[in-house]
């Protein structure tokens, strides 16, 4: 590890965030300057905003901020590719020029001051530092219950995830260089970084309310991300289907034996309800199984195309020669 102070890039994905950026940018800049002043990071550290194909004035605002402040940079994707791909674009862009990166959302909900603890943990020899929520008291009962259940379910499926960790983390350049060898299209970063290895730790923090604007992660997107995380990190659902099929096959064999015994003993009574019930049960299980298998097949289809996960259309430092 170099004895020089590490260059830090704070990577912040943005989608339609023109309302919250004027509020949070001064907070990010103040924290960056504070860490520079106390000798934790190099003076030429930066904040990198990634515009994920926003439809409002987010990108012009980022361009204006980059023109006004030397510690602010921005890049824009050619179209909306989703939070995970936008974050990946920023990390891959920063890995060659910066020693460490910290990824964080732009809404101010994650405690910005914890960045200092993350950098301290890096100086103590950790290549990955996960930001972990202390509790979920700020969430609604529904979101808290489903989120905690989801993390437990991921563990049960065999996926390596850090409990109550989203995408607030510090990652060193050598981790990102190793991570660049992961070429899958269907990405779930919070479950992929533990696969890379290297020394890691976590810091806990309290999550706050959004400082301005509205959340762009409705229930539909949250469910899609959750399902993508399960199917991207584990094949256990397929194995569960196999086990379920074996179990039902065994029951069916016992049912066949029972039918023959009833027939030859003269106790056979035609039953419409039982027939319909059995047909409906098996039909439902078969359709569910086909749906899960189809999800995996669809992912294979997308992976074989090897399309780019993101395309960068603009960078603020190309014009500024930074």
């Amino acid at each position: 590890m170099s004895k020089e102070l590490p260059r830090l890039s704070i990577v912040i994905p943005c989608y339609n965030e023109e309302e919250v950026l004027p509020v949070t940018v001064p907070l990010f800049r103040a924290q960056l300057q504070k860490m520079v002043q106390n000798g934790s990071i190099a003076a030429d550290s930066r904040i990198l905003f990634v515009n994920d194909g926003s439809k409002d004035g987010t990108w012009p605002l980022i361009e204006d901020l980059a023109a006004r402040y030397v510690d602010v940079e921005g890049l824009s994707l050619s179209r909306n590719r989703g939070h995970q791909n936008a974050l990946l674009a920023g990390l891959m862009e920063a890995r060659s020029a910066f020693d460490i990166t910290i990824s964080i959302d732009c809404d101010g909900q994650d405690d910005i001051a914890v960045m200092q603890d993350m950098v301290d943990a890096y100086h103590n020899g950790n290549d990955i530092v996960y930001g972990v929520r202390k509790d979920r008291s700020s969430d609604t009962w529904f979101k808290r219950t489903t989120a905690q259940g989801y993390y437990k379910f991921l563990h049960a499926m065999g996926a390596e995830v850090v409990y109550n960790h989203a995408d607030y983390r510090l990652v060193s350049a050598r981790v990102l260089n190793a991570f660049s060898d992961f070429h899958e299209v269907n990405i779930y970063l919070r479950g992929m970084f533990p696969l890379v290895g290297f020394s890691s730790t976590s810091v806990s923090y309290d999550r706050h309310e959004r400082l301005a604007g509205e959340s762009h992660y409705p229930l539909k997107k949250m469910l899609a991300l959750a399902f993508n995380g399960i199917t991207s990190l584990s094949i256990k659902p397929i194995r569960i289907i196999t086990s379920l099929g074996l179990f039902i096959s065994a029951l069916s064999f016992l049912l066949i034996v029972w039918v023959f015994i009833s027939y030859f003993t003269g106790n056979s009574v035609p039953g419409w309800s039982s027939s319909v019930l059995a047909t409906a049960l098996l039909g439902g299980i078969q359709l569910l199984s086909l749906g899960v298998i189809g999800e995996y097949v669809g992912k294979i289809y997308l992976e074989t195309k090897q399309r780019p996960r993101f395309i960068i259309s603009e960078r603020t430092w190309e014009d500024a020669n930074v």
Side-chain angles (χ1 to χ4, degrees), residues 13 52 81-91 166-167 169 187-192 217 225 228 309-310:
D52 185 23
R81 295 306 301 265
H83 177 274
Q84 296 290 282
N85 284 302
L87 178 54
L88 179 65
L91 294 175
D167 286 300
R169 73 180 73 85
I187 59 173
Y188 186 70
L189 298 179
R190 66 191 69 174
M192 293 172 66
Y217 240 80
L225 179 64
N228 185 55
R309 293 171 290 190
F310 54 83

Side-chain angles (χ1 to χ4, degrees), residues 34-78:
K34 182 179 179 180
M35 291 188 291
V36 170
Q37 291 169 2
N38 65 25
S40 297
I41 58 176
D44 56 350
S45 296
R46 296 288 187 268
I47 303 171
L48 175 60
F49 291 98
V50 183
N51 175 45
D52 185 23
S54 298
K55 299 178 181 178
D56 62 359
T58 296
W59 178 240
L61 178 58
I62 292 174
E63 288 183 307
D64 178 65
L65 291 168
R68 290 164 54 192
Y69 305 117
V70 68
D71 55 1
V72 174
E73 297 177 340
L75 64 85
S76 182
L77 304 188
S78 60

Side-chain angles (χ1 to χ4, degrees), residues 197-256:
F198 294 98
S199 56
S200 65
T201 188
S202 62
V203 296
S204 57
Y205 68 96
D206 292 313
R207 188 170 170 86
H208 312 297
E209 295 292 332
R210 186 181 177 90
L211 296 182
E214 298 180 354
S215 173
H216 302 292
Y217 240 80
L219 180 61
K220 181 180 179 181
K221 285 189 176 181
M222 291 175 61
L223 291 174
L225 179 64
F227 194 65
N228 185 55
I230 295 170
T231 54
S232 296
L233 297 173
S234 173
I235 61 170
K236 201 165 184 179
I238 296 289
R239 291 174 177 170
I240 290 175
I241 289 174
T242 302
S243 300
L244 183 61
L246 291 173
F247 176 71
I248 293 177
S249 296
L251 287 181
S252 300
F253 176 77
L254 293 176
L255 180 61
I256 292 172

